[in-house]
Structures are given as structure tokens and as C-alpha cells.
């Protein structure tokens, strides 16, 4: 009986090809994996040789997948997800809770709300290592950019375990001196830069400013709060941020902006012990805060 010869696939070749398929450019794939773009090109060529198939059409800087390339990419994504789950299981042992867990969260949430639960996990479980990435976009859990994501919008699709932690309100704030010395008609505002123009809080700030100037802009919420404390204008902040930021008084509006806070983890790894202990710590800490904020206003002056 004549045996059939099967093509042996190098997983590293497949991993580099998947990064290229997901990013669409050699540079994007190289950045995703932390390698040189020449490495991506070499690995993809090696995979094409192994399969005897052309997987990509190179058109300048853009990469277009062939029909066979699209099939391979779909299968590679499934392999990557299963490999990630296996790697996660390898992070724990029967005798010690250990592993590396990566969290993605908006910068404002990261700096104000996540330090305490992360410190608690490290104190109670020294074998668990944690990386926190503060970013506004929703990191891809499928591509292993993060294990856990905390967000203010619910993912529309994906094989995720999703928990609504609660809701938090956004109000206008300013320093006591500013409110006492500047009339509402002369207020200037502090907001995000153009990268956040589409965010609900920026849109609401523009609405409440009603033509009055947004004179200070920054992508860093802590800077916005700091300049407001120093009397630079009126800022819109999530109420939880003000818990750690004294010197500001709330300005009541008729309908404050409310946003939901969600915790997201990929279904394949939600029961991995190191991931579970971090998820539980975040649920307890964030759920308590986002439910408890939003009490009585310090200042009742209206816009």
C-alpha cells in the first residue's frame, strides 16, 4: 500500500501569515508580532512553498489574499484561537495559581479604577503577572492582543463571555473659583482632541458648550481634570474619575450622559484559573464603583 505524503506546516509560518492577513500590510503584521517586515515576507513565502499555493497578491504596500489565501487565513484563525486556549491552560498548575494575564482598558478606567484590584491580585496570588494596556480602541481578544478587556461599549460580535458591570454618569465639572468668578455665558471648555470627536462624551460636551469655545484639548483625561482644577475652564468627566480628583465641583445638567461599563473575556479562556481570578477581582472592584458613583451634586449651578 502506497502511503500518502502530507505537507508539514510550520506553525510560525502560519502565525506570520495570519498576522499579515489580519493587518493587510507587511508593516502592520511586523508591528503586531514585533518583528522586521522582511521576516513576515520570508515566512509567508515559506508557507506558500510548503503548500504549493499562492496565498497573497502583493500590490504595492497592500496585500490582497487570493481565494486560497482566504481559506488558509480562516483555518489559521481557528488554530490560533485553540492554541491560545492551550497556552492559557498551561499557565496554571495544580499547586500554584500562576500565569501572565493581559488587560486592555480605556486610560481613564486604567488610572483610576484598576490599580487597587490589580494590586490585590498580586498580593494574594504572587504567581500571577499582569500587564495593563490603556487604550481607547477595543483590543482583539481573538488575536491575543489582550486576555481581558474593560470597555464602555458592548462588543457586537465575537465568541466572548461578557458581563455588564454597571453604568457610570458623566457630568460637567469646574473649580469652585472658576464657577464663582466666571459667568456661564463666558465659560470656556476643556475636551478631547480630534481623535475622540465621535465619542459620546465629546459629542455631549459640544452640545452643552452650545457654541462656547473648547479652548483646551487633550487626549489625556487626567490632564483635562488637572487644568480644570487650576481654573482653565469647564470639563466633562466620568463621575468615578472625580472620586480621585479633588478640587472640582459638579455642574448639574438636566440629562447627564450615562455609559455602560462592560467586562469582556474570550470564551475559550474564561475558566483558566489565572484569568478567572483577575476577572473576579475586576468584577468586584469595578462593579462596586460604577454602581456607587453619581450621588448628589456638590454645585447646583446649571448651564
Amino acid at each position: 500500500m502506497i502511503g500518502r505524503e502530507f505537507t508539514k506546516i510550520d506553525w510560525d509560518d502560519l502565525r506570520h501569515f495570519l498576522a499579515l492577513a489580519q493587518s493587510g500590510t507587511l508593516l502592520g503584521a511586523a508591528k503586531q508580532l514585533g518583528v522586521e517586515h522582511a521576516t513576515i515576507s520570508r515566512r509567508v513565502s515559506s508557507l506558500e512553498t510548503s503548500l504549493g499555493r499562492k496565498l497573497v497578491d502583493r500590490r504595492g504596500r497592500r496585500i490582497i489574499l487570493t481565494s486560497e489565501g482566504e481559506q488558509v487565513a480562516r483555518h489559521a484563525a481557528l488554530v490560533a484561537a485553540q492554541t491560545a486556549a492551550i497556552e492559557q491552560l498551561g499557565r496554571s498548575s495544580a499547586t500554584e495559581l500562576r500565569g501572565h494575564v493581559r488587560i486592555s482598558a480605556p486610560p481613564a478606567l486604567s488610572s483610576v479604577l484598576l490599580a487597587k484590584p490589580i494590586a490585590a491580585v498580586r498580593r494574594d496570588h504572587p504567581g500571577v503577572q499582569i500587564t495593563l494596556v490603556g487604550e481607547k480602541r477595543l483590543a482583539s481578544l481573538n488575536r491575543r492582543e489582550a486576555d481581558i478587556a474593560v470597555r464602555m461599549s458592548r462588543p457586537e460580535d465575537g465568541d466572548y463571555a461578557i458581563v455588564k458591570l454597571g453604568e457610570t454618569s458623566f457630568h460637567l465639572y469646574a473649580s469652585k473659583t472658576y464657577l464663582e468668578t466666571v459667568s456661564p455665558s463666558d465659560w470656556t471648555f476643556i475636551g478631547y482632541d480630534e481623535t475622540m470627536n465621535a465619542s459620546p462624551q465629546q459629542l455631549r460636551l459640544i452640545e452643552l458648550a452650545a457654541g462656547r469655545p473648547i479652548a483646551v484639548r487633550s487626549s489625556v483625561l487626567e490632564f483635562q481634570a488637572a487644568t480644570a482644577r487650576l481654573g482653565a475652564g469647564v470639563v466633562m468627566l466620568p463621575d468615578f474619575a472625580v472620586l480621585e480628583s479633588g478640587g472640582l465641583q459638579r455642574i448639574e445638567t438636566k440629562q447627564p450622559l450615562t455609559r455602560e461599563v462592560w467586562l469582556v473575556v474570550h470564551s475559550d479562556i474564561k475558566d483558566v484559573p489565572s484569568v478567572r481570578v483577575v476577572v473576579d477581582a475586576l468584577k468586584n472592584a469595578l462593579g462596586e464603583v460604577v454602581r456607587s458613583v453619581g450621588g448628589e451634586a456638590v454645585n447646583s449651578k446649571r448651564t
Side-chain angles (χ1 to χ4, degrees):
M1 180 177 181
I2 299 176
R4 182 181 177 184
E5 183 178 349
F6 290 92
T7 301
K8 184 177 180 180
I9 302 299
D10 187 322
W11 164 241
D12 278 336
D13 289 349
L14 197 61
R15 183 168 62 90
H16 285 73
F17 168 72
L18 180 60
L20 179 63
Q22 291 170 337
S23 65
T25 66
L26 290 171
L27 184 60
K31 185 176 180 181
Q32 179 178 320
L33 297 181
V35 299
E36 297 293 330
H37 63 82
T39 302
I40 302 293
S41 182
R42 177 171 55 83
R43 286 289 189 175
V44 171
S45 295
S46 174
L47 180 62
E48 289 181 320
T49 299
S50 297
L51 294 175
R53 299 287 188 275
K54 185 177 181 181
L55 303 179
V56 299
D57 284 329
R58 296 166 176 82
R59 301 179 183 179
R61 294 183 178 181
R62 295 296 304 175
I63 300 296
I64 307 298
L65 298 184
T66 65
S67 59
E68 290 177 317
E70 291 177 349
Q71 294 180 48
V72 172
R74 286 195 295 271
H75 290 301
L78 296 174
V79 173
Q82 294 302 317
T83 300
I86 294 170
E87 289 176 350
Q88 287 280 12
L89 290 172
R91 295 177 182 182
S92 60
S93 69
T95 59
E96 180 187 7
L97 191 63
R98 60 179 176 83
H100 181 202
V101 179
R102 187 178 179 91
I103 306 168
S104 169
L109 281 167
S110 301
S111 60
V112 177
L113 299 182
L114 300 190
K116 289 182 179 179
I118 288 174
V121 170
R122 287 287 304 134
R123 182 185 63 248
D124 298 337
H125 306 284
V128 177
Q129 302 174 16
I130 298 173
T131 297
L132 174 63
V133 181
E135 53 189 354
K136 301 180 181 70
R137 70 186 183 92
L138 178 61
S140 173
L141 304 186
N142 286 328
R143 295 201 298 265
R144 295 290 311 281
E145 294 178 352
D147 300 310
I148 301 168
V150 180
R151 282 293 176 266
M152 288 186 172
S153 59
R154 191 185 194 282
E156 295 298 326
D157 51 33
D159 186 15
Y160 302 137
I162 304 173
V163 177
K164 181 180 177 181
L165 298 176
E167 297 178 347
T168 187
S169 297
F170 288 72
H171 284 88
L172 296 178
Y173 289 88
S175 69
K176 182 175 183 293
T177 301
Y178 189 87
L179 293 174
E180 291 175 345
T181 58
V182 181
S183 64
S185 61
D186 294 327
W187 284 353
T188 60
F189 292 81
I190 302 165
Y192 282 103
D193 62 12
E194 64 278 359
T195 63
M196 291 283 286
N197 278 345
S199 70
Q201 53 267 41
Q202 183 76 350
L203 292 173
R204 189 58 179 275
L205 177 68
I206 294 171
E207 176 188 343
L208 293 173
R212 291 168 290 185
I214 301 177
V216 177
R217 296 176 181 265
S218 173
S219 62
V220 181
L221 193 67
E222 294 84 353
F223 176 81
Q224 295 182 34
T227 54
R229 285 196 302 271
L230 294 171
V234 177
V235 66
M236 175 164 281
L237 297 173
D239 291 340
F240 64 74
V242 185
L243 295 175
E244 302 290 336
S245 179
L248 292 173
Q249 295 191 356
R250 186 193 301 177
I251 304 165
E252 274 298 323
T253 55
K254 292 181 179 180
Q255 293 181 328
L257 173 68
T258 300
R259 296 198 64 184
E260 299 170 335
V261 181
W262 298 86
L263 187 147
V264 187
V265 60
H266 199 284
S267 296
D268 287 343
I269 62 171
K270 65 183 178 64
D271 293 322
V272 172
S274 57
V275 173
R276 171 54 57 190
V277 72
V278 176
V279 166
D280 288 343
L282 295 181
K283 284 169 60 177
N284 292 335
L286 273 67
E288 179 179 349
V289 172
V290 297
R291 284 193 295 267
S292 64
V293 297
E296 294 184 0
V298 177
N299 188 287
S300 60
K301 186 179 292 187
R302 295 184 178 273
T303 58

